[in-house]
Amino acid sequence: MTLKEIDMNEVYNNDPELKKEDVNNLKEWIEKQPHLPHVSELQVALFLQSCYYSNEMAKYTTDTYFTVKTLCPEIFGTRDPLNPLVKTAMDCVVITPLPKLTPEKYLVVLVKMMDFNPDNYNFAAQLKCFDMITLLHLHQYGPAKGVIIILDLKGIVFGHFLKLGVVVMKKFLYYLQEGMPIRLKSLQFFNIVPFMDKILAMMKPFMKKELIDSLVLHNDVSTVFKYIPIDILPQEYGGSCESLPILQEKYKARMIDNGEFFKFQESQTVDESKRPGKPKNISDVFGMEGTFKKLEVD
């Protein structure tokens, strides 16, 4: 893995509530689970921080993270930026963590369609790219105090909606809420489309109340500024950040430059034959009603 990760001393200095002793305790627990893969100290810190330092919740999140990724290869497998499907996805949509944080120190991840031809759109591949670039960013810059996901729907047509899949949506929303090591603060859509009600009807059955409560819809970008200062956004929205085409090229280059990191991620799978007790399968995971990861929204 050639990725230059953030130094752990910097991670601990940036967050006094994140204790090395707690990270080590969680890491020891993970290493004693025969079905889980080897993890780095930084990965463990991301799990613990995302769960607001709850060791028990972080255990659940860690297991969920690796289990879902193993059981859902259509979304989380083939993490090769040079794979034709992934390359097409990167050409189709820009997914970029913005360089500046909000005043609350939240990371903003912007998603924007750049190729409006529905024939080139692959929903699962876009979700894969979102996961890849967001986790890459966290490994390079450390845990984020909070994450806001904003999606610009300008250019989206009904042909894109027809390519969304209920099963893929369910799997990813479960992962986003239960396993992804981020503190998700808000999910926001702007330049909403006439069929937004159909998109929400597909999403909401798989969203916890906390995520539904954090959902914000904007007719255009003007009301986004109540949540995200205009200065943070790209030039097209009146901000000082670089233009969308430049951000897209940087996003693609960043993905390609870190192919070894994604290869390492792809190798981190669960061995269900070694899981204590009963091995898990797809129906076990996505039918379960048990403990849920804490989702705090301001």
Side-chain angles (χ1 to χ4, degrees):
M1 189 170 58
T2 57
L3 170 74
K4 181 172 174 52
E5 295 184 343
I6 185 171
D7 184 83
M8 284 306 300
N9 289 326
E10 186 177 347
V11 171
Y12 293 124
N13 288 336
N14 289 341
D15 186 354
E17 292 186 78
L18 183 67
K19 308 296 185 184
K20 185 178 178 65
E21 180 183 359
D22 294 335
V23 172
N24 287 341
N25 287 339
L26 179 58
K27 192 171 189 297
E28 287 178 13
W29 177 86
I30 295 171
E31 289 173 348
K32 290 177 181 177
Q33 307 311 303
H35 63 295
L36 293 179
H38 172 75
V39 292
S40 68
E41 183 180 359
L42 177 55
Q43 281 183 300
V44 178
L46 289 171
F47 287 123
L48 191 60
Q49 187 271 354
S50 73
C51 292
Y52 298 87
Y53 321 107
S54 166
N55 187 278
E56 288 305 308
M57 195 62 70
K59 290 177 182 179
Y60 166 77
T61 300
T62 302
D63 189 86
T64 301
Y65 171 87
F66 289 114
T67 300
V68 171
K69 288 203 163 190
T70 303
L71 294 176
C72 304
E74 71 277 26
I75 305 175
F76 302 107
T78 318
R79 298 171 82 81
D80 180 2
L82 298 179
N83 177 277
L85 190 65
V86 179
K87 287 183 69 176
T88 299
M90 292 191 295
D91 289 337
C92 189
V93 177
V94 57
I95 305 170
T96 180
L98 297 179
K100 294 183 180 179
L101 303 177
T102 70
E104 300 83 9
K105 304 299 183 186
Y106 296 163
L107 173 69
V108 178
V109 181
L110 172 67
V111 182
K112 169 75 170 72
M113 190 78 69
M114 301 296 279
D115 175 354
F116 302 130
N117 184 352
D119 292 340
N120 297 328
Y121 183 75
N122 183 300
F123 183 45
Q126 299 301 338
L127 297 176
K128 185 200 310 282
C129 288
F130 168 80
D131 185 60
M132 289 170 69
I133 193 67
T134 303
L135 291 180
L136 173 65
H137 187 86
L138 294 178
H139 279 76
Q140 291 178 319
Y141 293 93
K145 189 173 181 180
V147 175
I148 298 174
I149 303 170
I150 58 171
L151 300 95
D152 182 354
L153 301 186
K154 187 174 183 180
I156 302 292
V157 297
F158 198 69
H160 292 107
F161 170 75
L162 294 176
K163 301 194 82 171
L164 303 182
V166 174
V167 174
V168 170
M169 182 75 78
K170 179 178 183 179
K171 290 177 178 178
F172 185 78
L173 285 175
Y174 182 89
Y175 166 76
L176 181 66
Q177 297 171 93
E178 306 299 329
M180 192 174 187
I182 62 171
R183 294 180 177 180
L184 183 57
K185 292 294 181 177
S186 182
L187 179 61
Q188 305 195 21
F189 296 85
F190 65 101
N191 291 325
I192 58 174
V193 291
F195 48 90
M196 190 70 207
D197 59 328
K198 293 180 172 59
I199 296 175
L200 293 177
M202 180 182 289
M203 295 175 61
K204 282 188 174 180
F206 313 121
M207 296 169 66
K208 293 157 58 179
K209 182 181 183 299
E210 294 92 340
L211 184 55
I212 292 175
D213 291 344
S214 82
L215 187 65
V216 185
L217 305 181
H218 308 273
N219 286 322
D220 56 48
V221 73
S222 62
T223 53
V224 174
F225 306 145
K226 296 178 184 177
Y227 302 86
I228 301 167
I230 188 172
D231 183 59
I232 291 175
L233 296 170
Q235 294 173 6
E236 286 83 352
Y237 308 115
S240 64
C241 187
E242 294 168 308
S243 68
L244 288 167
I246 292 176
L247 289 172
Q248 185 182 28
E249 289 308 308
K250 286 189 172 183
Y251 151 62
K252 292 192 289 186
R254 194 173 173 188
M255 294 272 277
I256 292 169
D257 289 346
N258 289 282
E260 285 300 311
F261 169 72
F262 298 124
K263 185 177 180 181
F264 169 73
Q265 274 195 322
E266 191 175 350
S267 73
Q268 290 184 299
T269 56
V270 168
D271 185 345
E272 288 296 340
S273 68
K274 296 181 180 179
R275 180 187 290 274
K278 180 178 177 290
K280 288 185 178 180
N281 56 38
I282 286 284
S283 61
D284 293 328
V285 174
F286 298 105
M288 68 198 308
E289 297 289 341
T291 310
F292 287 104
K293 180 183 172 185
K294 186 178 183 182
L295 177 69
E296 290 193 2
V297 180
D298 292 339

